[in-house]
Amino acid sequence: MRGWLEDQVRGPRSIEVRLEPLVNFIHQINVVANITHSKYQTSLNHQAATLRELRLFLRDIVNKLMKERKFYCFCKPVNLDEVSDYLEVVKKPMDLERIRENIDCMEYSTIKEFTYDVELIAENAIEYNPADDHTGRQIRHRAAELKDFLHSLLDNELDEDFATLCEEIKTARAARAEQRETELQSSRSRSDSHRNSGTFRRSVIADEDSVSVEINGISSQSQDSDCTDVIVHKIVEMLKTADVDHMIRLYTLISQVVIKNRSNKEMTKETLLTEHIEPLIHSFSQTIPR
């Protein structure tokens, strides 16, 4: 985001819509966003470190399961040459080697996801093997023991706070992905509707580690105003209790307001700030936890 304003603001001086003071306003927002972005990256790094610890923990659990001789039959996929009708009964095969591969491929972001697949091994074994057959009864018994052994390991070795943290990371990542998709769809829609207008161009890319906002068609000269300072002060006060995702969302919404009013030649800086941006900030503040 650094320097985007200086690089992008190159509009003609004859433009009738005089929004120069707003350029300085958005620039001040950008300064705050840069500081917040650093915290955002720190948060992402912490999440990555947590999930790395999760993978180490899950590998240790899988290794302990595979070392038990009684669970040897669950280590590798069922040989379909020997059991030709297996896939007719079991719709989602699973084994410990596949689980270990899933860990390496970062398929699990929570303990629950991992536990589901281990229990799936046991459920498949019980579903396929009949209880009235001696071999079948042995496999069913080992399947039940596999589930008990797994939960015993988790009870003894898993920190519940760590498990909760992993769940929170999964929820946060899903929310960010949903927000990115919404904003990208909105950006595409605006791009289609304004493709023939050469005055303004805006692109928003909200990724886990970057936010880019581009605005063309605004004169590069700017000056401070009391109205601008008041609104910037309100934003700074409001964001004291906000998290990173709130900052990124507000930054995007303010830019959307600028673009939306670009064709109104009667719009003044004071009107845009007091009648459009300030109400937006007030409404947005209601969504931030106190």
Side-chain angles (χ1 to χ4, degrees):
M1 288 188 294
R2 290 189 180 87
W4 66 265
L5 192 63
E6 292 80 0
D7 294 338
Q8 299 299 327
V9 179
R10 294 291 185 272
R13 290 182 181 278
S14 60
I15 187 170
E16 296 185 38
V17 185
R18 290 314 223 173
L19 299 177
E20 291 92 340
L22 184 59
V23 175
N24 186 59
F25 167 72
I26 297 179
H27 179 72
Q28 294 181 62
I29 296 298
N30 191 41
V31 172
V32 178
N34 280 331
I35 297 173
T36 307
H37 176 72
S38 177
K39 297 180 180 178
Y40 180 64
Q41 188 60 50
T42 299
S43 174
L44 293 179
N45 292 340
H46 178 69
Q47 290 181 7
T50 300
L51 295 180
R52 185 163 53 249
E53 289 298 321
L54 173 65
R55 292 193 296 273
L56 292 172
F57 175 77
L58 296 183
R59 288 191 189 100
D60 183 60
I61 295 295
V62 170
N63 288 337
K64 289 178 179 178
L65 293 175
M66 297 182 75
K67 286 179 180 178
E68 294 288 326
R69 292 181 61 84
K70 55 192 171 186
F71 301 143
Y72 178 76
C73 57
F74 303 130
C75 289
K76 297 180 179 296
V78 171
N79 189 330
L80 298 180
D81 292 334
E82 297 177 359
V83 190
S84 57
D85 65 339
Y86 185 75
L87 294 182
E88 296 177 8
V89 179
V90 175
K91 303 305 180 183
K92 189 177 179 182
M94 186 58 61
D95 57 82
L96 293 174
E97 280 195 355
R98 181 178 298 185
I99 289 177
R100 189 160 58 179
E101 292 175 359
N102 288 345
I103 295 172
D104 294 340
C105 294
M106 305 183 210
E107 294 290 330
Y108 304 122
S109 57
T110 67
I111 298 295
K112 288 182 179 179
E113 293 172 345
F114 167 77
T115 302
Y116 173 85
D117 274 357
V118 176
E119 291 184 342
L120 181 61
I121 296 174
E123 291 167 3
N124 288 344
I126 292 173
E127 182 176 7
Y128 183 80
N129 294 278
D132 56 358
D133 177 80
H134 175 70
T135 302
R137 284 196 300 271
Q138 283 187 324
I139 295 176
R140 291 166 67 93
H141 173 72
R142 290 178 182 177
E145 194 171 2
L146 175 68
K147 295 172 65 174
D148 290 340
F149 193 76
L150 167 67
H151 285 283
S152 177
L153 290 175
L154 294 179
D155 289 343
N156 291 329
E157 301 182 22
L158 176 63
D159 185 329
E160 288 299 327
D161 290 339
F162 178 77
T164 301
L165 179 58
C166 292
E167 292 286 348
E168 291 173 350
I169 290 174
K170 178 182 178 181
T171 301
R173 288 190 166 192
R176 284 199 301 272
E178 182 177 355
Q179 179 178 329
R180 287 198 303 272
E181 180 61 27
T182 299
E183 291 176 350
L184 286 173
Q185 289 178 358
S186 178
S187 178
R188 294 190 192 103
S189 177
R190 285 191 299 273
S191 177
D192 291 341
S193 62
H194 302 305
R195 184 168 296 169
N196 296 325
S197 174
T199 303
F200 283 78
R201 177 170 63 87
R202 177 183 184 279
S203 171
V204 176
I205 304 174
D207 205 338
E208 289 186 349
D209 57 0
S210 67
V211 176
S212 170
V213 179
E214 299 177 5
I215 302 177
N216 290 345
I218 303 178
S219 174
S220 60
Q221 295 182 349
S222 64
Q223 56 184 358
D224 292 330
S225 71
D226 293 339
C227 183
T228 299
D229 291 340
V230 169
I231 293 180
V232 171
H233 176 73
K234 287 183 179 180
I235 291 176
V236 172
E237 289 298 312
M238 178 179 63
L239 293 176
K240 286 182 178 180
T241 58
D243 59 20
V244 174
D245 289 335
H246 280 108
M247 177 69 246
I248 294 173
R249 182 61 180 156
L250 177 60
Y251 187 69
T252 302
L253 290 174
I254 291 175
S255 297
Q256 290 174 352
V257 171
V258 177
I259 300 305
K260 182 178 180 181
N261 290 279
R262 73 195 184 286
S263 60
N264 187 351
K265 297 181 180 181
E266 303 299 323
M267 181 71 68
T268 64
K269 178 263 300 184
E270 287 78 8
T271 300
L272 186 61
L273 289 175
T274 59
E275 296 186 9
H276 295 273
I277 293 181
E278 189 169 17
L280 167 67
I281 293 171
H282 175 74
S283 175
F284 191 84
S285 67
Q286 308 303 311
T287 68
I288 297 178
R290 292 291 185 262

